Each structure stands twice: as structure tokens, then as C-alpha cells.
Amino acid sequence: MITSAVRQALRTRGDEPAVLCLIGDLGPDRAELAALRLRGNDRRVDLDAHGMGRPVTVEGIGGEGEPSSVGLVVIAADGLTDLRRAVTVTTQLPPTAHLLVVVRHVPAHLGPLVPAPPTIDEWNDLHELRVRRFGNRGWACELCFPGGMSVAEALAAVVHGPRGRRRGPGVGVLGGLSGTQAALWRPGDVAARGVTATGPVEIDRVTPVSDLVLRLDDGGGLPFWEDVEVPAVDRLATDATVAPEVRSPEARLRVYGTDPVSRVAPVDERFVNPIGFTKKTKGPLGELVEVEGRVVVRDETCVRIRPTPDGTVTENDLERVRHLRGVRVGWPEHGDTATVRIVAALAAGGVPLIGDPAPMWAAGLGAPLAELIAGGAEDVLLDPLRREEHSIRLRRAALRTHGVRTRWRSLAAEAGLPVPPETRVSVVLCTRRPELVGFALAQIARQRHVRFEAVLALHGFSADLPEVDAAVAEFRATGIPLVVHEAEGEKVFGAVMNDAVDRASGTVIAKWDDDDWYGPEHLADLMLARAYSGADVVGISQNFTYLEELDLTVWRGYRSEVPSPAIVGSTILADRVVIEDVGGFRPRPRAIDSQFLLAVTRAGCRVYRTHGFGYLLRRAGGGHTWNVDLGYFLRNHTEQWIGWRPSVLLEGVPAPFGAQADRHIDHPGEHVERL
């Protein structure tokens, strides 16, 4: 079907030249597309092999008196990860009047190939848009701009559509790229610029178009960098794609970057992430091994995925191994950065990995990820609870260490460039119970891997109460910013929440309850999900509940890592602009969380549910704005335990802040680990 769609577009495009671009595996379709007959002035480009810094020229286009746009550009990709990489390379293509994008397979958890235009006025020249599905999960999207359109910008809109509305946090540094494989380091970036190996960087009026240039050495060495204003950092291309005949001894001995992690091309977290994770423990155990010089993942029946020689794992690869209960990493005797990328990508995708201690050549994984893989045992993969805990630890380490944004911020630091501060999260806590202030503030204070402040709304009581004053003083002693707001007791809950949000300075708002338990990476997990999901609102599934009256902990194995509005209200994390878009919280005394989520979905926003292993809902006898009976929590549970037993990822409970706090809250006795 891909070949038919491409052949039809080539036949009907008129007299103008065409550019046929291929990227990714494409299976048998690649050979068929490569065999299509083209006209003399047409171009066929392998985007995987086309280096940055080499503009694609087309005969008869762009010269004096010649048209500036080609008649047709075709981008044929195996999946969306490949398509994101194509965005970066196609910044070097001439504009086109007709763009055809065909993707062989899009997983079920992602949407159709419907473009998300950047702004209305930029697409005023759009004359035709056609989206169609072919086969089981293949998609084609056609856009016609008679006046011509930037291929990269149009392609970026197409690849963004299946993810959701938000584009996610940016890197903060404009990147220039030079060399083959450079797109691996900066996928999906329409602002990336190809630069020659010597430079200099192009100037737009008085400003360089890049802040930092990454040069890749294919094994033959790199020339002197001539630009004195824009710094360059150098890296060696992935060994597996460097032909032996072009390798020089000097290039092999040169060390690019003191940190072995920074020498590894990053993982594109926008599509290589835990979305689609399954809780299956009865599937076969896969193994990562080297077969005929290629690293593959196989089970007892066949090879499941065969990553490309540069170590790229795609969203389609992850879909093919979701049925496995885990993967045992068999370290090759002589590995390279491609193998490191494969392992990091599987971990970022939530695939449970186990294996022997990593060899020296795999130092690029980073110590935390390598230790987690070596610390996993096969029996962990047979228990659904422990298996998912292991997966969460792996994905945390991989996404924080090997994501594109993380890698470029480290490259900028290496080059001595400042980067924007991390996003500030405002944790909003609204409470009517002074005895719980110290309990809640202690849990907020132990959050890690995130930049945050706290906004405490005291609903109907004063901050001068001894237990409140002591708790606030102890929290402020940590150095974390805290805003205290005293709200009138007559005000409804929704109005108090809006007042608290108004006093927050963060661009992201996180809702917090006063009596539930939160692990130290609760906020960090939500911010990770916000980055890779493309959702406007994220939260967690209600996995663990402590029924105080029964002294019983219930685990309900809800599916996680899925787009879903069914999230716990006390874990809502949303961009401030989203809250403004829906008019804030409704001025009601209860059910403000469910009403907010309803308003968000009505506004066309996307809600995403990540895991709930760093959270424990407390269900006491009364005083809840969410009124359901205990039977609700006892139905359809996966497992239950006598006493207080959260996931180990909760990491115990910190001592409440304030000298008098312990007299006012009934902790679950001997089950609580004191920190």
C-alpha cells in the first residue's frame, strides 16, 4: 500500500521535479520504493545516510529565474520515531508544493496521522489535506501548498498530531548539526541547522542561527572549527555504522567528552517511552543477544526486534516486545555505543531488564541504570507488583539520563553555555485540618529531581496556631519557597483552590491532599509523564488505598501509562495555562477535581495516567469531598494486605514537621518506616 500511494503521487504531480525520501527499516517496502522509476531531475534520498550540513539540491530548482519549490516531496517512514528524525534532516530540503507522508505502522496507543498546524496564518495557503489509513495500522497524509511550504515545518506538524496537543518542554539551546547520524541527537527540531564540519554558523541578520554545534566524526577525523562565536562539541559516530576502511587510528584513540554517558546519542523520549506498558507476567522471557554481528531481542520462537546498526529502537519495536515479561541482557564481548542506546531505549520504554553486571564498554549507560539491570532477578518478573516497580525504576533512570533534553543541556554545560532553569512546579495544598499541616508539608519537602515551591491555603484557620506555625517554620528552614494563604472558612473549596493557584508562581500546578501519602519522586514522575506523553494534564491511577477503618491496604492493578481522564484528583498536574483555559476550578464545595477533568476533556485537552506506585490514598471514616463507601475499594482488587503496606517506591514516611504534629495524626503504627 505504501508503494501504491507513492506511485500515484509521482504519477499525478505534474511536470515539476520530485524528491523521494526514505527513512527507517520499512521492511520489504524499502526495496519496492527504491526500485520506483523516477524522472531525470528527480532525487531519491536516504535520510538515514544523508548527513547534516549537506543541503539537498534539485536540478532546476532554486536558481536564478527558477522556481523555488519542487512539485512533490515524499517521506516514507517505518514509524513515528523515524519520522521525528526525518524532520531534522528535511530542514535541508527545498520547499515543496505537495507533501506526501506515509508511515508503515503507528501503534494503537497513538492517534492517526492528522497534522497539528502550528498557527492558523502559517497555513492560509493550504489548499488540500487528505488523511487515509491503509492496512492494519499504516497511515498516509497529503498536504498541498501551491505557493510552497517548508518540508520540515509541515512534517513537524504531521508527526506531532498523533502525540497530543502539547509539544513538550524545549531544550533551551538552538542546535547546529554536522555529519551523518546527527539527526539522532536532535530529532524533530525544525530549528536545527546543518553546518559544515569547519563552520561557520549561518547568521540571520546579526544573530547566529545556532547556539551550539554538534559535530560527528565518522572515523576520519574532524577539521579545525573556524567559528569563534559559536562553540562546537565533537562526538564519534556510532561504531557500528563507521566503515572500517575510513577509521583512522587517531580518530579511534581520541576521546570525545569526559563523561561516557554524554558520548551516547540520546533516546527520543517523545515516542520511546512507557506508553503502552502491560502488566503481563505470563509471557516468555526475551533475551538481548548478538546474532551475526547484530544485536537483537528474541524469545524462544523468533527474533522480535532487530534495531538498526546505530542502536535506534522505535515505538514499533517496543510494541513488539510488550508481551514479554522481561528481557535478559546478554552483554556482547565487544560492545559499542549502539548497544548502549538499545539497552537505554528498552529501559526508557518500561521493558523490565535483568542481566549480569555491565562490562566496562557499557559505562555510557550510567551507573544508576547499570546497577538496576544487574540488581534485577528473574523471580521479580513473575510477580506483577515487583515487576512494575522494577520497570518504573528503570524508566526513571533511562529517561533522566538519556533523554534528548537532558543530553543537550549537558552538551551546553560542556561548552560553557548557560541554559534556562528547570520548570518550576507550584504544589498547591488546601486544607481545613491544622493537625495535618505538618504531615503534608513533610512529604512535600522530600520531593526530589524537580524544582518546586509550595502554596499552603489554610481554609478557615490561622497560621498562628502553634502546630501550624511550627510546621511552617520547619518547612521554610529547608529553603524551599512557601506561600501561606489564609482563606475564610465560608468560602467554598473550589474558590479557595483558585485563590491558591493565583498566588502560585510556577508554570505548572500540582494538586496535593493533606492526608494521603506521597513518595519522594511523585512530582518527578508526573513531570516525566508530562514530557513524554504530550498531555495537557497528567495524574496517576488509584492503585494503592489504605482503608483506615479496616486497617487494610488494597492494591487495584489498574492499567497505567495510558491516555485516560480516570486519574486521582489529589495527583492532578497541569500547566497553568490549561487551568486558565477552562476557567479554573468550579466554585463548588466538593467534586472540584472530577469537574475540572470534565472541563478539560470538553475543551479538547488530553489527560494522561501514569503509574501510581509512589502514592497511597488514605480512606478514613469521613471528611472526604469524594463520597463513596468502602465497598468501592474492595471490589475488583488485585491484592490486599493486613495493615499499612504501600509500594516500596513510596520509601516510607517522613516525620511530620512541627513539634506538636505527632499528637494530632494517627500513623499506622508499626507498619510505618520512619526516615
Side-chain angles (χ1 to χ4, degrees), residues 194-272:
V195 182
T196 62
T198 58
V201 172
E202 178 187 351
I203 299 293
D204 182 8
R205 297 184 182 178
V206 296
T207 307
V209 296
S210 303
D211 300 315
L212 173 67
V213 171
L214 173 71
R215 303 191 300 171
L216 290 184
D217 181 357
D218 63 2
L222 290 170
F224 177 76
W225 177 248
E226 298 177 358
D227 197 314
V228 296
E229 183 175 354
V230 178
V233 293
D234 301 335
R235 291 294 183 267
L236 186 67
T238 302
D239 291 350
T241 61
V242 179
E245 61 269 18
V246 302
R247 297 178 186 169
S248 68
E250 294 80 9
R252 300 296 296 151
L253 291 173
R254 184 177 175 187
V255 176
Y256 291 104
T258 57
D259 179 8
V261 172
S262 74
R263 303 175 204 163
V264 182
V267 173
D268 187 0
E269 65 266 45
R270 299 295 172 87
F271 287 112
V272 181

Side-chain angles (χ1 to χ4, degrees), residues 107-111 162-164 269-278 314-316 318-319 322 347-351 391 395 399 528-535 538 559-564 606 608-610:
H109 68 264
L110 293 167
R163 285 191 71 245
E269 65 266 45
R270 299 295 172 87
F271 287 112
V272 181
N273 54 53
I275 300 178
F277 174 81
T278 65
T314 70
E315 76 283 358
N316 292 331
L318 291 175
E319 187 182 44
R322 289 296 185 200
V351 178
S391 167
R395 71 184 74 155
L399 289 168
L528 278 179
R530 171 181 176 268
Y532 63 69
S533 69
V538 296
R559 187 182 175 194
S560 61
E561 305 299 345
V562 292
S564 171
R606 190 166 182 251
Y608 183 79
R609 186 171 74 202
T610 186

Side-chain angles (χ1 to χ4, degrees), residues 21 66 130 272 361 389 391 437 503 553 672:
C21 302
E66 296 176 341
R130 183 185 181 194
V272 181
W361 59 258
E389 288 171 341
S391 167
V437 170
R503 286 161 172 77
T553 301
V672 178

